[in-house]
Amino acid sequence: MLPPMDTMKPTLTIIGDVCVDLAMGPIGDWPAVGTETIMDDSETRPGGSGGNSALAMQYLGGLYELISSLGNDHFGEWLPGFYTGGDCHFARVDAPTTLSVCLAHSCSERTILTTRGHLELMGIEHVLPSLRPAAHAGDTVLLAGVFLLPRLRKAFPRLLAELSQAGYAIAIDTGWPSAGWNEETRTEVRGWLQHCAHLLVNETE
């Protein structure tokens, strides 16, 4: 665990997913198998709930730390250049960078297809060495992209205890579980909530 940051303002520490988004669209009806569909727009950009939260803080001029991982390919070299406004800690793992293809539908909804990639190898051993004790009462940790991080998710009881002991208020942005909100997942998340001050979910979640 690192020493506290030397700052007079509360800091947001983001622990979670950073990946690459390939956004395309708009699309009307879902294409038939074996066909090709031409899209009007596309953009390759940094993504992931954790990565997007860091970029939002950067845009707003807030203080943030980002603890995440990167793959061992060219995308893993490309991504860090976007995060210049905070104190970033990226662990390198031996896997390709996770890629999400985001298809924007003409009804304003979207479908996301995500590869397994480096996020599945991120564990608590990649987090704790970069974690600092909270320096102020307002310091918050945001745990983002929970269900895309299976190894870290298994260690959540320990991580939540470490964060509480370090003096943080804890926020969780769960995202959508790939297996759906079954009773096992609901029970697991209820166990996390006793440690949390904030739960961030959208209407569907």
Side-chain angles (χ1 to χ4, degrees), residues 15-16 122-124 127 143 149-156 159:
I15 300 172
M122 182 176 168
I124 196 168
V127 173
L143 300 172
L149 306 167
R151 286 193 66 237
L152 185 60
R153 177 181 169 187
K154 288 180 180 179
F156 252 42
L159 178 59

Side-chain angles (χ1 to χ4, degrees), residues 18-23 43-48 73-75 78-79 96-102 112-119 148:
V18 174
C19 63
V20 174
D21 280 356
L22 173 56
E43 182 182 5
T44 304
R45 61 196 185 199
D73 54 11
H74 64 286
F75 281 132
W78 177 72
L79 281 168
T97 299
T98 298
L99 172 66
S100 289
V101 178
C102 307
I112 302 175
L113 309 173
T114 300
T115 63
R116 296 186 181 278
H118 77 285
L119 292 180
L148 295 176

Side-chain angles (χ1 to χ4, degrees), residues 49 109-110 112 172-177 181 199-205:
S49 297
E109 279 294 344
R110 60 181 183 165
I112 302 175
I172 293 185
D173 179 1
T174 63
W176 185 264
W181 283 102
L199 174 65
L200 309 177
V201 291
N202 62 32
E203 184 177 1
T204 305
E205 294 163 357

Side-chain angles (χ1 to χ4, degrees), residues 40-193:
D40 290 334
D41 301 303
S42 70
E43 182 182 5
T44 304
R45 61 196 185 199
S49 297
N52 289 337
S53 298
L55 291 175
M57 286 293 290
Q58 193 165 286
Y59 176 79
L60 294 171
L63 295 173
Y64 75 89
E65 286 193 274
L66 176 60
I67 302 174
S68 189
S69 63
L70 296 171
N72 61 357
D73 54 11
H74 64 286
F75 281 132
E77 300 293 334
W78 177 72
L79 281 168
F82 291 92
Y83 301 98
T84 58
D87 188 9
C88 299
H89 308 269
F90 293 112
R92 293 281 180 176
V93 299
D94 190 18
T97 299
T98 298
L99 172 66
S100 289
V101 178
C102 307
L103 297 175
H105 298 274
S106 52
C107 65
S108 299
E109 279 294 344
R110 60 181 183 165
T111 298
I112 302 175
L113 309 173
T114 300
T115 63
R116 296 186 181 278
H118 77 285
L119 292 180
E120 292 207 338
L121 298 183
M122 182 176 168
I124 196 168
E125 71 276 14
H126 300 125
V127 173
L128 293 185
S130 300
L131 186 64
R132 306 175 187 271
H136 307 286
D139 285 354
T140 300
V141 162
L142 171 62
L143 300 172
V146 172
F147 295 120
L148 295 176
L149 306 167
R151 286 193 66 237
L152 185 60
R153 177 181 169 187
K154 288 180 180 179
F156 252 42
R158 179 185 172 190
L159 178 59
L160 290 167
E162 293 272 1
L163 293 172
S164 296
Q165 186 176 1
Y168 286 101
I170 300 172
I172 293 185
D173 179 1
T174 63
W176 185 264
S178 58
W181 283 102
N182 55 41
E183 191 54 39
E184 181 180 358
T185 301
R186 291 172 185 267
T187 299
E188 181 182 18
V189 173
R190 288 190 195 104
W192 301 340
L193 294 184

